[in-house]
RNA sequence: GCGGGAGUGGCGGAAUGGCAGACGCAGCAGACUUAGGAUCUGCCGCCUUCGGGCGUGGGGGUUCAAGUCCCCCCUCCCGCACCA
């Protein structure tokens, strides 16, 4: 799961005295052998990491099966599954921004263990896909080699952070034993169909059984043969069934990226029409590709967002991405033939104003509809709308504005389709986009008015949305309006604009719509209409829509419909480094699923695995690298009909496939019989008290960049698995949390190129320079492209991993972006140093604690801190937890620093509370305080509410809302006692002299406010 | 344009409607020091005639009391964007 979106900008965030990246900070040295510094921290951290590893401290036993050793000791505990979005093993290693979320989940998981939970916290690597393959190509190595090396490096860097993962469960999506199950799940999806009536996926065998039994007939659009099932040939039947599968091959207009040599999903293409990976141009072209029918789940993907505890912003992004809109389909019949064209509209109420129709250039009926000759009186403008190259096209004619005789509708349509296919970048713009299009020479009949209306092709109608055709109502839709203006089409009004709109656009009442500056898209009064449509005058918009839909259904010209922005998921890639499909083809070209016992289909070794280079305008079908492995691409198998030669599918699965289900494999990573044991799955994924089907990963932390990619795909797969009874919860991730990004100053030179931030120096005059040249500072997400990365290794060496952990948690709320300042880390280091010095004699290394009972104030401080820190950890507010712990540490060092050491009770509570944040130093202190073993499972300190309260409280006294003085009152003083005390105070007399006291408000334990006139 | 989020000291950030600025960095003063980028102590929003006044993007409002709730506006960030 790779992020490639860098967000830069906001140069002002880093203004001020901070910001320059300092030279490397040498480790702090000291004569005292047991002073807590980088050296000692490194020593402590190495030892404890080794101890945890040897003892398997963070191994979480399963209820049964191979990983169940030690389950008896945790049986009966509440269960919690904490998970990070696994990384793609980048070649450039980690920077300090990467582990932010990993530290967060580790702190949380460690806290949960100390509060009695049985915690599963695994980790893994998302190692297939474009970024890994591009890296391998760039370095001239095999992706398996680079991937393994990168994983090793990341494991080492993360290992030094002391993350408490159950390392036995580590998975990489590229492991054969992992991707065999990815292929297995693909087969489950391939062998399923969506039963709209049941509202769920079902095995394809049940559909076939229905067809066989005659209890269900194939849908009309799935059965072009128009014969009953019993009369169909085997190939025809297979074709029909293929049209139902959730994974299917389809010729679609896809995003073709010659630069990467592969097609891409919509989600992988930027708004600028370029690839998310590599920023290459992307073109639309029709290709036969694997698709996944995610659109069948559109409603459930929206509805079930109500089941999960996710940030509202992410839920909203998913809703927007799925983008449901309600309306109707309306059928128009062609004039002079019985061809029927279906359009989708959200405004059936404006049907009477539809004066033309527009098809997407790729619409399948275009050829059929294109006329032989231009109808009499066709305006010249309709025959070559802007966009067709007049210089090159045959339509220019000698005079330059009159079509030549050979400029037929066919020629115009073909020229326009050619033009539309080569539109690269999506044009942006907020206002007017130049409208282009061409007349097909055909007319259809408006079912309400009975008028013939012209059918155009225009690129503003998209094949992928609705039906790929629209009825154009220029008076009430801005796009149709500007198209009508360009081509001189009529613009009759269905609704009268309201006064506000007329005033805003300076339109007099009753003005002709073709004098309006823009279309009126708002709500207004319906005008009396001619024709046979339903009466709408006086109705509200929703009622008019309902009324029209009822009318359409009555006359058989349409029905209510819902359309989605979401497209089906383009699931194949013409690349090497991905999961091979468990699919072969026979002579009739229909896909055949391999049986489960033929899994895994392993990726063949290739020395030249690069995608076939293709020019931007090459219209040949791309040849995937696997197609070049001849002895792999064809295979002889016995699939029940005796040994036959088959052609393998040579595309590979997209990067997202492996990440769609890895959370399930963590649960049972060594299972060779199943993708996950059902009992183990229920144990970890189930929410004990929730409704049936409720549950999911207890906490899932990752970046916001996956809001509509991974998180949508994974939910889709999970729902298919749920429908098939293979998992027990409706949603995969119960709670989602998005950690922020670490920002860092970046610097550009005079040419606007980034220069390495580490080499920028601040001169004596305060200007920033690189190699003597002045540079500009801006801020952006830390990363290679901005040349502002800081490696965690540098920080480990200068301060230790515990300091880095505390710093990253203290910087701010976990979900907020925050700027990295190496200068600030020293504060976190000082905190740990002070904690250490409070307990350890820096000369001898021995613990110095006393057996005295903490005094009342210290006890109060301790119990208040326990209360606050527990709440902070529970709610992932680690920044305020750190602040509380620093406060307590500072307090006890002042109170007990000069005496014979901290009271043991205080020291131990402090160590235990710090442990989730800074586990190595905490373990070391715990050991030096005389304890055997790890504190990882030691109960977290409990607060006693009664000890946390102060017997007297200082109440602020406000006069007219401003604090003027304070009074000390017993904590249990009643309101009257407080009143008397305040009224008798000297300051009271001073502030109320010459004034009338209107009221005195006493909020016991909180505040007093005196309201004067 | 549509949808979402955020504006608090020099900086990062705290504040169930109840003392705005916890905690950290930076800064200032002092102690200990050959030394300090170590440690310790204190100060640290702005203005001030030292009474106090002003302060959470701007303007209104509700309230005894508003960073917090309501209305209007401004700026910035993120997502989507010809989706009929």
């Amino acid at each position: 799961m790779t992020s490639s979106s860098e967000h830069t900008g906001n140069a002002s965030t880093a203004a001020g005295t901070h910001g320059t990246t300092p030279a490397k900070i040498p480790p702090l040295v000291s004569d005292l052998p047991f002073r807590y510094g980088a050296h000692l921290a490194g020593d402590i951290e190495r030892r404890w990491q080794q101890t945890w590893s040897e003892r398997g401290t963070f191994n979480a036993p399963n209820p049964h099966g191979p990983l169940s050793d030690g389950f008896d000791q945790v049986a009966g505990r509440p269960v919690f599954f904490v998970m990070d979005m696994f990384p793609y093993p980048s070649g450039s290693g980690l920077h300090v921004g990467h582990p932010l979320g990993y530290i967060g989940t580790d702190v949380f998981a460690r806290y949960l263990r100390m509060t009695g939970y049985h915690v599963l916290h695994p980790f893994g690597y998302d190692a297939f896909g474009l970024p890994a393959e591009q890296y391998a190509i760039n370095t001239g190595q095999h992706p398996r080699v680079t991937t393994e090396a990168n994983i090793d490096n990341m494991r080492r860097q993360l290992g030094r952070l002391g993350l408490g993962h159950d390392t036995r469960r580590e998975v990489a999506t590229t492991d054969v034993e992992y991707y065999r199950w990815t292929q297995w799940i693909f087969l489950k999806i391939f062998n399923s169909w969506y039963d709209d009536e049941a509202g769920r996926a079902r095995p394809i065998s049940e559909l076939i059984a229905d067809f066989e039994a005659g209890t269900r007939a194939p849908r009309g659009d799935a059965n072009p043969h128009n014969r009953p099932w019993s009369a169909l040939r085997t190939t025809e039947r297979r074709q029909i069934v293929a049209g139902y599968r959730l994974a299917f091959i389809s010729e679609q207009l896809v995003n073709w990226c010659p630069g990467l040599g592969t097609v891409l999903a919509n989600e992988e293409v930027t708004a600028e029409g370029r690839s998310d990976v590599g920023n290459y141009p992307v073109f639309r072209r029709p290709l036969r590709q694997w698709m996944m029918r995610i659109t069948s789940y559109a409603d459930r993907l929206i509805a079930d967002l109500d089941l999960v505890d996710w940030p509202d912003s992410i839920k909203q992004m998913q809703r927007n991405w799925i983008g449901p809109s309600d309306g109707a389909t309306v059928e128009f019949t062609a004039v002079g033939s019985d061809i029927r064209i279906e359009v989708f509209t959200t405004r059936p109420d404006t049907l009477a104003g539809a004066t033309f129709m527009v098809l997407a250039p790729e619409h399948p009926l275009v050829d059929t509809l294109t006329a032989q000759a231009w109808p009499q009186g066709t305006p010249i403008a309709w025959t070559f709308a802007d966009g067709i190259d007049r210089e090159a096209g045959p339509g220019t004619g000698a005079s330059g504005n009159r079509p030549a005789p050979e400029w037929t509708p066919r020629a115009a349509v073909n020229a326009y389709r050619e033009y539309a296919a080569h539109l690269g970048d999506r044009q942006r713009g907020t206002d007017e986009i130049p409208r282009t299009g061409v007349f097909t020479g055909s007319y259809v009949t408006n079912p309400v008015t009975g008028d013939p209306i012209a059918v155009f092709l225009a690129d503003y109608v998209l094949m992928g949305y609705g039906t790929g055709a629209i009825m154009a109502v220029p008076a009430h839709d801005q796009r149709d309006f500007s198209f009508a203006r360009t081509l001189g089409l009529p613009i009759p009004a269905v609704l009268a604009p309201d006064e506000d709109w007329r005033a805003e656009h300076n339109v007099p009442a009753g003005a002709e719509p073709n004098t309006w500056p823009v279309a009126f898209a708002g709500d207004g009064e319906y005008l009396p209409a001619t024709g046979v449509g339903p009466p709408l005058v006086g109705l509200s918009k929703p009622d008019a829509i309902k009324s029209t839909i009822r009318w359409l259904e009555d006359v058989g010209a349409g029905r209510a419909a819902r359309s989605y922005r979401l497209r089906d998921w383009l699931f194949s890639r013409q690349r090497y480094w991905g999961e091979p499909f468990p699919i072969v083809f026979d002579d009739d070209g229909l896909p055949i699923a391999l049986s489960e016992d033929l899994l895994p289909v392993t990726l063949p070794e290739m020395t030249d695995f690069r995608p076939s280079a293709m020019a931007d305008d090459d219209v040949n079908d791309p040849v995937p690298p696997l197609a070049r492995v001849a002895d792999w691409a064809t295979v002889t198998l016995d699939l029940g009909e005796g040994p036959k030669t088959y052609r393998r599918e040579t595309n590979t699965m997209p990067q997202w496939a492996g990440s769609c289900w890895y959370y399930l494999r963590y649960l049972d990573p060594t299972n060779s019989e199943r993708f996950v044991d059902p009992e183990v799955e229920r144990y970890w994924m189930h929410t004990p008290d929730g409704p049936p089907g409720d549950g999911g990963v207890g906490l899932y932390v990752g970046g916001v960049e996956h809001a509509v990619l991974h998180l949508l795909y994974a939910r889709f797969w999970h729902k298919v698995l749920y429908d098939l009874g293979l998992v027990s919860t409706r949603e995969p991730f119960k709670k989602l949390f998005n950690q922020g990004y670490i920002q860092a100053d970046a610097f550009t030179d005079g040419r606007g190129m980034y220069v390495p931030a580490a080499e920028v120096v601040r001169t004596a005059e305060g200007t920033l320079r690189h190699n003597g040249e002045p540079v500009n500072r801006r801020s952006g997400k830390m990363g290679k492209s901005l040349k502002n990365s800081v490696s965690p290794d540098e920080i480990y060496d200068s301060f230790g991993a515990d300091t880095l952990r505390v710093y990253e948690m203290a910087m701010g709320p976990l979900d907020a972006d925050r700027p990295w300042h190496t200068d600030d880390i020293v504060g976190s280091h000082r905190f740990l140093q002070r904690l250490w010095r409070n307990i350890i004699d820096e000369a001898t290394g021995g613990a110095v604690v006393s057996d005295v009972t903490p005094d009342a104030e210290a006890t109060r401080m301790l119990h208040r801190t326990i209360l606050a820190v527990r709440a902070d950890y529970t709610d992932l507010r680690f920044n305020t937890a750190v602040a509380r712990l620093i406060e307590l540490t500072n307090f006890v060092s002042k109170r007990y620093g000069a005496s014979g050491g901290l009271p043991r009770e205080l020291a131990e509570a402090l160590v235990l509370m710090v442990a989730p944040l800074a586990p190595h130093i905490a373990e070391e202190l715990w050991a030096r305080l005389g304890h055997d073993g790890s504190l990882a499972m030691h109960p977290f300190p409990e607060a006693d509410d009664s000890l946390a309260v102060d017997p007297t409280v200082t109440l602020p006294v406000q006069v007219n809302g401003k604090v003027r003085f304070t009074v000390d009152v017993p904590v249990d003083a009643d309101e009257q006692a407080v009143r008397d005390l305040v009224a008798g105070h000297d300051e009271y007399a001073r502030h109320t002299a010459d004034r009338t006291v209107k009221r005195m408000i006493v909020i016991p334990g909180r505040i007093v406010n005196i309201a004067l006139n």
Side-chain angles (χ1 to χ4, degrees):
Chain A
M1 284 189 283
T2 310
S3 158
S4 60
S5 56
E6 301 283 350
H7 60 102
T8 58
N10 195 13
S12 63
T13 48
T17 56
H18 283 87
T20 49
T21 306
K24 277 198 181 153
I25 299 173
L28 302 167
V29 289
S30 167
D31 312 337
L32 293 163
F34 293 97
R35 162 147 302 186
Y36 185 79
H39 184 76
L40 184 56
D43 177 53
I44 292 169
E45 287 162 10
R46 257 187 312 279
R47 274 192 289 110
W48 279 101
Q49 284 161 18
Q50 197 181 341
T51 304
W52 293 329
S53 170
E54 284 166 5
R55 296 184 190 166
T57 306
F58 304 110
N59 290 351
N62 273 351
H64 73 101
L67 299 183
S68 60
D69 272 3
F71 183 74
D72 296 351
Q73 285 138 51
V74 292
R77 288 194 189 186
V79 161
F80 210 106
F81 183 6
V82 185
M83 212 176 93
D84 304 275
M85 288 188 190
F86 63 171
Y88 127 73
S90 154
S92 44
L94 293 177
H95 60 64
V96 291
H98 288 117
L100 181 63
Y102 309 152
I103 298 170
T105 52
D106 189 52
V107 174
F108 186 62
R110 285 174 181 273
Y111 172 68
L112 289 178
R113 283 188 202 100
M114 296 176 77
T115 47
Y117 282 86
H118 183 207
V119 176
L120 175 60
H121 189 204
F123 201 76
Y125 298 92
D126 186 21
F128 268 137
L130 280 172
E133 188 174 346
Q134 286 297 97
Y135 178 79
I137 290 171
N138 294 341
T139 57
Q141 291 168 279
H142 193 276
R144 183 158 307 277
V145 174
T146 53
T147 298
E148 279 170 10
N150 293 347
I151 288 176
D152 284 346
N153 186 43
M154 281 186 87
R155 202 185 278 125
R156 179 191 62 78
Q157 287 187 308
L158 290 173
R160 288 188 68 183
L161 265 177
L163 302 175
H165 298 140
D166 182 345
T167 51
R168 303 169 306 167
R169 296 171 185 262
E170 184 182 293
V171 298
T173 53
T174 47
D175 294 342
V176 176
E177 278 310 301
Y178 182 87
Y179 74 68
R180 80 174 286 158
W181 294 109
T182 308
Q183 292 171 334
W184 183 86
I185 294 170
F186 175 86
L187 288 180
K188 288 288 167 197
I189 297 171
F190 177 78
N191 284 321
S192 300
W193 64 292
Y194 201 82
D195 182 346
D196 285 319
E197 286 150 43
R200 63 182 181 86
R202 294 172 58 192
I204 201 86
S205 55
E206 296 178 13
L207 179 73
I208 296 169
D210 283 1
F211 289 157
E212 301 281 349
T215 52
R216 184 187 298 270
R219 280 194 318 259
D221 63 314
N223 181 8
H225 316 288
N226 228 356
R227 277 178 278 131
W229 180 261
S230 55
L232 294 170
R233 290 197 307 271
T234 311
T235 304
E236 290 168 341
R237 290 179 180 181
R238 280 174 57 206
Q239 234 162 19
I240 287 171
V241 170
Y244 278 83
R245 294 179 187 274
L246 291 184
F248 59 102
I249 297 176
S250 164
E251 168 130 353
Q252 301 245 0
L253 202 62
V254 297
N255 303 299
W256 166 242
C257 181
L260 292 169
T262 186
V263 298
L264 296 170
N266 290 328
E267 290 82 354
E268 294 168 311
V269 180
T270 66
E272 286 80 24
R274 303 183 81 87
S275 60
D276 209 25
V277 171
N279 202 34
Y280 295 102
V282 172
F283 301 90
R284 293 178 294 162
R285 61 174 286 196
L287 280 173
R288 278 177 64 78
Q289 295 293 326
W290 281 95
M291 308 290 292
M292 285 220 176
R293 211 177 293 283
I294 190 172
T295 50
S296 291
Y297 282 85
D299 276 328
R300 282 168 62 188
L301 287 169
I302 289 177
D304 288 354
L305 288 172
D306 293 343
L307 302 175
V308 293
D309 180 8
W310 286 21
D312 286 337
S313 58
I314 301 289
K315 289 187 180 187
Q316 202 52 45
M317 280 166 73
Q318 291 218 342
R319 286 189 197 104
N320 290 345
W321 189 262
I322 296 166
S325 35
D326 288 309
T329 54
V330 184
E331 283 196 350
F332 289 70
T333 306
V335 175
S337 79
D338 59 357
I339 299 167
R340 291 159 81 82
I341 307 163
E342 195 174 56
V343 304
F344 174 76
T345 178
T346 53
R347 295 294 304 274
D349 55 313
T350 61
L351 182 50
T355 52
F356 58 101
M357 172 182 279
V358 185
L359 306 185
E362 308 83 13
H363 196 283
L365 288 175
V366 169
D367 281 326
T368 330
L369 278 168
T370 303
Q372 293 299 312
W374 300 113
Q376 189 111 43
T378 299
I380 288 168
W382 293 15
T383 69
F384 52 19
D386 286 341
I388 294 177
D389 186 344
R390 290 165 196 245
E391 296 299 318
T396 316
S399 68
N401 60 4
R402 185 178 299 277
E406 68 271 23
W407 190 238
T408 60
R410 174 81 43 204
V413 161
N414 286 342
Y416 190 74
R417 285 197 292 202
E418 178 77 5
Y419 155 80
H422 283 93
L423 281 181
D425 289 6
R426 274 313 173 89
Q427 274 169 316
R428 297 176 137 237
T430 46
D431 295 325
E432 276 303 276
I433 298 160
R435 291 285 163 225
T436 68
V438 71
F439 181 39
T440 59
S442 288
Y443 288 86
V444 294
T445 305
N446 180 321
V448 166
T449 63
D451 294 336
I453 64 175
V455 180
F456 289 85
L457 251 54
D459 66 338
Y460 80 89
V461 175
L462 311 174
M463 193 57 229
Y465 183 76
T467 63
I470 61 152
M471 63 178 213
V473 183
H476 305 300
D477 180 279
Q478 185 56 39
R479 296 153 299 184
D480 299 343
F481 183 85
S482 43
F483 190 83
R485 274 288 176 73
T486 305
L487 296 186
L489 290 151
I491 309 178
V494 178
L495 299 116
D498 59 70
E499 267 179 56
D500 288 350
W501 184 88
R502 293 205 320 271
E504 187 189 338
H505 297 283
N506 204 14
V507 171
E512 284 299 312
N514 60 18
T515 66
W516 295 351
V518 292
F520 170 65
D523 295 359
E525 294 291 322
Y526 288 90
L527 297 164
T530 56
V532 298
L536 302 178
V537 174
L539 295 185
S540 67
K541 183 163 112 183
D543 286 344
I545 289 173
K546 270 183 228 152
S547 174
T548 308
I549 290 174
R550 213 173 303 123
W551 179 85
L552 284 167
E553 284 167 347
D554 287 347
V555 302
R559 60 198 156 76
R562 174 177 263 206
S563 198
Y564 299 93
R565 218 191 71 97
L566 182 71
R567 312 290 203 269
D568 277 329
W569 177 15
L570 174 60
F571 195 71
S572 41
R573 300 290 183 273
Q574 293 72 51
R575 297 289 292 223
Y576 171 71
W577 195 235
E579 299 88 347
F581 283 74
I583 292 285
V584 294
F585 297 90
D586 61 8
D587 294 338
D588 57 23
L590 289 170
I592 301 167
L594 295 177
S595 54
E596 291 176 19
D597 57 304
L598 290 174
L599 300 184
V601 177
T602 53
L603 201 53
E605 281 307 312
M606 291 184 79
T607 43
D608 183 8
F609 50 85
R610 285 173 303 178
S612 313
M614 286 183 73
D616 284 1
D617 55 354
D618 192 336
V619 294
N620 289 309
D621 282 354
V623 179
L626 292 183
R628 303 199 301 259
V629 191
D631 60 350
W632 183 87
T634 50
V635 59
T636 303
L637 296 167
D638 183 350
L639 298 178
E641 304 172 5
K644 274 176 65 180
T645 302
Y646 296 90
R647 203 159 44 77
R648 281 195 197 273
E649 170 61 63
T650 54
N651 285 302
T652 50
M653 298 189 200
Q655 188 191 345
W656 313 102
S659 59
C660 274
W661 73 283
Y662 71 114
Y663 54 98
L664 296 168
R665 193 60 182 171
Y666 280 149
L667 304 178
D668 198 10
T670 60
N671 195 328
S672 56
E673 302 299 314
R674 293 183 59 95
F675 77 118
V676 60
D677 178 278
E679 193 186 320
V680 170
E681 186 269 335
R682 270 196 304 278
Y683 177 75
W684 288 112
M685 294 286 280
H686 193 57
T687 306
D689 304 320
D694 195 32
V697 174
L699 177 67
Y700 191 29
V701 174
V704 72
E705 71 270 20
H706 297 295
V708 291
L709 288 161
H710 158 65
L711 287 173
L712 199 58
Y713 299 146
R715 292 182 64 215
F716 163 52
W717 276 36
H718 191 91
K719 286 184 183 305
V720 178
L721 296 173
Y722 176 73
D723 286 353
L724 298 178
L726 296 167
V727 296
S728 64
T729 68
R730 282 180 287 178
E731 284 286 328
F733 312 118
K734 182 66 182 174
K735 182 178 169 112
L736 176 73
F737 189 91
N738 293 120
Q739 95 276 6
Y741 292 112
I742 290 195
Q743 312 269 119
D745 286 337
F747 301 91
T748 51
D749 64 16
R751 297 168 302 156
M753 304 298 286
Y754 286 100
V755 300
E759 297 169 11
V760 171
V761 293
R762 185 184 285 275
T763 61
E765 310 88 66
T767 59
L768 297 165
R769 295 193 176 257
H770 175 253
N771 288 343
E773 298 296 317
V775 293
N776 291 314
R777 182 172 61 199
R778 50 188 308 196
S779 180
K781 200 168 109 183
M782 186 176 280
K784 205 166 58 171
S785 58
L786 303 192
K787 297 189 181 173
N788 59 354
S789 293
V790 177
S791 162
D793 293 319
E794 302 171 33
I795 307 302
Y796 301 149
D797 294 345
S798 305
F799 299 102
D802 277 336
T803 296
L804 178 63
R805 291 172 60 109
V806 170
Y807 172 63
E808 294 215 3
M809 292 300 99
M811 288 165 89
L814 193 59
D815 56 357
D817 291 354
R818 67 291 294 279
W820 175 268
H821 292 303
T822 302
D823 293 355
D824 291 2
I825 301 174
V826 67
S828 299
H829 191 65
R830 284 178 192 145
F831 160 51
L832 296 181
Q833 220 170 34
R834 195 172 298 139
L835 172 71
W836 177 265
R837 195 168 43 239
N838 277 334
I839 297 171
I840 300 297
D841 182 325
E842 293 181 313
T844 67
V848 183
V849 286
S850 74
D851 292 325
V852 302
T853 310
D855 62 46
E857 195 187 352
T859 301
R860 207 153 50 233
M861 184 76 189
L862 172 65
H863 285 267
R864 276 187 194 162
T865 304
I866 294 171
L867 282 173
V869 167
R870 276 181 166 263
D872 287 342
Y873 278 146
T874 303
D875 298 338
L876 308 176
R877 290 192 309 255
F878 304 128
N879 55 328
T880 47
V882 172
R884 296 290 189 169
L885 291 168
I886 293 176
E887 237 176 339
L888 181 60
T889 303
N890 291 348
F891 172 86
V892 297
S893 53
K894 278 200 184 84
R895 168 117 340 173
Y896 297 103
S899 65
L902 259 55
R904 175 170 283 274
E905 180 190 338
L906 271 177
E908 295 195 340
L910 195 47
V911 166
L912 290 169
M913 284 194 283
V914 166
L917 287 159
H920 310 89
I921 189 175
E923 292 272 24
E924 185 71 13
L925 288 170
W926 191 245
R928 285 176 192 263
L929 282 166
H931 298 278
D932 287 333
S934 167
L935 51 56
M937 306 291 170
H938 193 280
F940 201 83
E942 302 271 357
D944 182 335
D945 289 4
S946 66
L947 295 177
V949 291
D950 199 330
T952 66
V953 290
T954 303
L955 286 188
V957 180
Q958 295 182 328
V959 178
N960 281 345
K962 292 189 169 41
V963 178
R964 295 305 181 188
F965 60 100
T966 60
V967 290
D968 290 340
V969 299
V971 69
D972 53 357
D974 64 17
E975 193 179 322
Q976 192 53 48
V978 174
R979 269 172 204 287
D980 294 346
L981 205 69
V982 169
H985 200 280
D986 293 347
E987 289 286 326
Y988 178 80
R990 193 167 76 81
H991 285 283
T992 56
D994 309 329
R995 309 282 296 272
T996 318
V997 176
K998 204 164 63 177
R999 290 170 67 184
M1000 187 194 294
I1001 294 100
V1002 177
I1003 312 295
R1006 280 277 178 199
I1007 203 162
V1008 178
N1009 193 5
I1010 299 158
L1012 298 180
N1013 271 340

